[in-house]
């Protein structure tokens, strides 16, 4: 089955700086890679996703890149703001449709 | 309803008791997932359904855990003879498509505390 590894586990950035979270996956058949944001005490919510036929996708201050050959994908947040503080999860879906999540990254944006 | 609904939102039980957690997905969503999240931890996959069938039950921690889905809608997760290590938030999510490339919509979760 799919195995997703996520790094770093915690990330502290100054407001206005960029944050990068990296994930690797094991199943070469995986073809969908979403990112979820979970604020304290709340449910995870989708913030951006990318499919295997695309190398990069951007939505305002967030972007995701995918390298299928190396089996890794990354989340980039630019001009970070305090409201970006949360836990971020990457995920990959295997050929059976199961969403396998990474362990999460706690992002703290300090003013 | 407007979103994924889970009940109860909070459940405190004694070790050894059985508990049943319910998930009501968004109407029309074919895929339904159960995850477990321990305090400060990630999302541990338990089981998912496509319609009423469960293609992958490999995430269920032990034979004390079972889940069913009837009518392609409501799902229940049952934990028998609960143990303290079962304490966690149990999250349900549904997806509107039968392929593996749809957004997951999560419920608020059921927080289980086993004393």
């Amino acid at each position: 089955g799919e195995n997703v590894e996520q790094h770093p586990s915690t990330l502290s950035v100054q407001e206005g700086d960029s944050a990068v979270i990296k994930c690797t996956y094991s199943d070469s058949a995986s073809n969908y890679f979403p990112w979820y944001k979970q604020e304290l005490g709340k449910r995870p919510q989708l913030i951006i996703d990318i499919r295997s036929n695309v190398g990069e996708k951007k939505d305002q201050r967030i972007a995701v890149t995918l390298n299928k050959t190396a089996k890794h994908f990354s989340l980039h947040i630019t001009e970070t703001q305090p409201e970006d503080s949360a836990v971020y999860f990457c995920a990959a879906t295997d050929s059976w449709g199961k969403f396998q999540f990474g362990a999460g990254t706690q992002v703290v944006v300090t003013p | 309803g407007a979103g994924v609904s889970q009940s109860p939102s909070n459940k405190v039980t004694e070790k050894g008791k059985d508990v049943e957690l319910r998930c009501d997905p968004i109407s029309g969503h074919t895929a339904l997932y159960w995850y477990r999240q321990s305090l400060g931890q990630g999302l541990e996959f338990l089981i998912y359904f496509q319609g009423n069938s469960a293609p992958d039950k490999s995430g269920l921690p032990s034979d004390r855990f079972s889940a069913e889905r009837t009518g392609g809608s409501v799902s229940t997760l049952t934990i028998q003879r609960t143990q303290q290590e079962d304490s966690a938030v149990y999250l349900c999510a549904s997806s509107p498509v039968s392929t593996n490339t749809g957004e997951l919509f999560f419920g608020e979760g059921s927080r289980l505390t086993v004393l």
Side-chain angles (χ1 to χ4, degrees), chain A residues 50-64:
Chain A
I50 192 167
R51 288 173 169 74
S52 60
N53 59 346
V54 175
E56 183 174 359
K57 184 177 178 180
K58 190 173 182 179
D59 183 4
Q60 298 183 337
R61 296 187 297 106
I62 60 173
V64 58

Side-chain angles (χ1 to χ4, degrees), chain A:
Chain A
E2 178 65 274
N3 182 49
V4 177
E5 293 193 357
Q6 182 171 348
H7 301 280
S9 56
T10 59
L11 181 59
S12 183
V13 295
Q14 292 275 8
E15 182 176 357
D17 288 351
S18 295
V20 180
I21 304 169
K22 299 181 178 182
C23 289
T24 60
Y25 62 98
S26 60
D27 188 349
S28 57
S30 291
N31 59 2
Y32 177 61
F33 308 92
W35 287 87
Y36 284 78
K37 176 183 180 182
Q38 186 177 29
E39 296 177 356
L40 188 63
K42 296 190 177 181
R43 72 187 84 186
Q45 292 192 302
L46 179 71
I47 55 170
I48 195 167
D49 57 13
I50 192 167
R51 288 173 169 74
S52 60
N53 59 346
V54 175
E56 183 174 359
K57 184 177 178 180
K58 190 173 182 179
D59 183 4
Q60 298 183 337
R61 296 187 297 106
I62 60 173
V64 58
T65 58
L66 171 65
N67 183 326
K68 283 218 72 179
T69 302
K71 289 191 281 189
H72 68 68
F73 55 114
S74 301
L75 178 71
H76 303 252
I77 307 173
T78 59
E79 300 172 24
T80 52
Q81 300 169 5
E83 54 264 37
D84 295 328
S85 296
V87 178
Y88 292 80
F89 294 98
C90 64
T93 57
D94 64 15
S95 54
W96 293 100
K98 181 176 78 178
F99 283 73
Q100 191 69 42
F101 284 85
T105 297
Q106 174 76 61
V107 174
V108 177
V109 180
T110 53

Side-chain angles (χ1 to χ4, degrees), chain B residues 1-62:
Chain B
V4 177
S5 178
Q6 291 188 246
S7 61
S9 55
N10 276 287
K11 176 71 175 180
V12 180
T13 190
E14 293 180 347
K15 177 181 173 181
K17 299 284 189 182
D18 296 352
V19 296
E20 192 172 277
L21 308 177
R22 175 189 169 104
C23 173
D24 199 346
I26 294 172
S27 178
H29 280 198
T30 57
L32 185 147
Y33 298 77
W34 283 99
Y35 288 89
R36 179 168 71 175
Q37 188 172 34
S38 301
L39 186 63
Q41 300 299 309
L43 300 168
E44 178 188 1
F45 169 83
L46 298 178
I47 189 172
Y48 89 106
F49 293 88
Q50 286 286 5
N52 290 336
S53 63
D56 190 338
K57 302 179 182 179
S58 64
L60 295 176
S62 74

